[in-house]
Amino acid sequence: MLKNLRLRQKFTILLLAILLMGLSLSGFALSALLRQNAKNDIAATGVMLMETMTSVRNYTTNQINPELKEKLEVKFLPQTVPGYSAREVFEVLRQKKGYRDFFYKEATLNPTNLRDKADNFEAEVVEKFRKNSNLKELSDFRKLSGGDIFYIARPLAVSEPSCLECHSTPEAAPKSMIDRYGSTNGFGWQLNEIVGAQIISVPANTVINRANKSSFVIIGLVSAVFAAVILLVNIFLNSQVIRPLKHITRVAEEVSTGHMDAEFDKFGNDEIGNLAKAFKRMQLSLEMAMNRLKKSHGNTST
């Protein structure tokens, strides 16, 4: 099939084949790289959000609770609980564009508020932090029935002695808290003990879509650049190769039919120029041979 194609068409097919092969081979590597970059980007955002929630917790513990300590003995206010404050602030933040896909949970093994109860997967994450004190962060994809999610987790420890006022024993806890949550859950904590994990999660398709969007942009740019290269190669090929070859072919055909006055243009010192010079020498040789033949025929006639 290629034998019946013109030179320009052959070059175009060759360049297109190289483009398709290059995109195919690099597509897998590019997809993995961009997915990793998207995951790192979202993880960085998750860490920033987690640091913000930690700041909210510290503010609640160190500045809000001391001011309301006497009132808490009369009436328990969940807004004074660091974890409650952090989660409520995060819900407000989620109303902002760009954070709607993020979710925050302080997954706790033995929480006072059961909405913070760690599920089986989260409990395994907490146990990893409890078993390895040097482990400060975990991130990965998690499979759920509603779709995969990407999560980043950090250990949650009892870092303030004031926390034990509500979580050591039911007898030490404010009566109003016992009336609200009961005396079964959220007790027996120890200072510096890891009791849970701060977990920021986001649907996996957010990571994948961000990576795909970057992939489409990069592949589009590469394709546009390569299309421009193909166009430029075709223009160069037409002006520097095809057009001179057509001219040489036309002149050679004229010479072959006896038009010895046809002229080969000068095309420089490249291969096309050398070919034109070779045809010119052949034309001169042919012309000399024809002249000798005419003289020989003339002498024979006399």
Side-chain angles (χ1 to χ4, degrees), residues 237-249 267 272:
L237 188 66
N238 183 64
S239 63
Q240 300 297 319
V241 179
I242 295 177
R243 189 181 299 168
L245 285 178
K246 285 183 176 180
H247 174 76
I248 293 173
T249 302
F267 296 104
I272 299 296

Side-chain angles (χ1 to χ4, degrees), residues 85 108 201 265:
S85 298
T108 309
S201 60
D265 292 340

Side-chain angles (χ1 to χ4, degrees), residues 11 72 82 91 96 100 149 155 160 183 189 191 194 206-207 213 216 222 230 246-247 261 285 288:
F11 267 90
L72 291 175
E91 288 303 314
K96 304 293 183 180
R100 294 172 185 169
I149 65 171
E160 299 290 340
S183 59
W189 295 9
L191 187 63
I194 295 176
T206 300
V207 179
K213 184 177 180 181
F216 292 147
V222 172
I230 292 175
K246 285 183 176 180
H247 174 76
D261 56 341
S285 298
M288 292 173 62

Side-chain angles (χ1 to χ4, degrees), residues 144-184:
L144 293 175
S145 57
D148 294 354
I149 65 171
F150 174 73
Y151 74 91
I152 179 170
R154 285 184 171 183
L156 185 63
V158 182
S159 57
E160 299 290 340
S162 59
C163 294
L164 299 180
E165 295 177 4
C166 295
H167 296 287
S168 57
T169 62
E171 292 74 21
K175 183 179 181 303
S176 57
M177 189 189 84
I178 299 296
D179 294 338
R180 185 181 183 95
Y181 294 111
S183 59
T184 304

Side-chain angles (χ1 to χ4, degrees), residues 6-67:
R6 296 182 180 274
L7 187 60
R8 182 191 302 175
Q9 294 173 330
K10 292 180 180 179
F11 267 90
T12 301
I13 292 174
L14 175 62
L15 292 173
L16 287 174
I18 294 173
L19 171 62
L20 293 176
M21 186 179 299
L23 291 178
S24 299
L25 294 176
S26 63
F28 296 104
L30 180 63
S31 177
L33 177 62
L34 291 176
R35 182 169 177 171
Q36 183 62 40
N37 288 342
K39 186 173 74 170
N40 292 341
D41 184 35
I42 290 179
T45 302
V47 169
M48 179 193 68
L49 294 174
M50 200 173 295
E51 293 287 356
T52 302
M53 295 307 103
T54 300
S55 298
V56 172
R57 289 177 55 86
N58 292 336
Y59 173 78
T60 303
T61 299
N62 298 323
Q63 298 193 41
I64 300 298
N65 284 348
E67 297 295 330

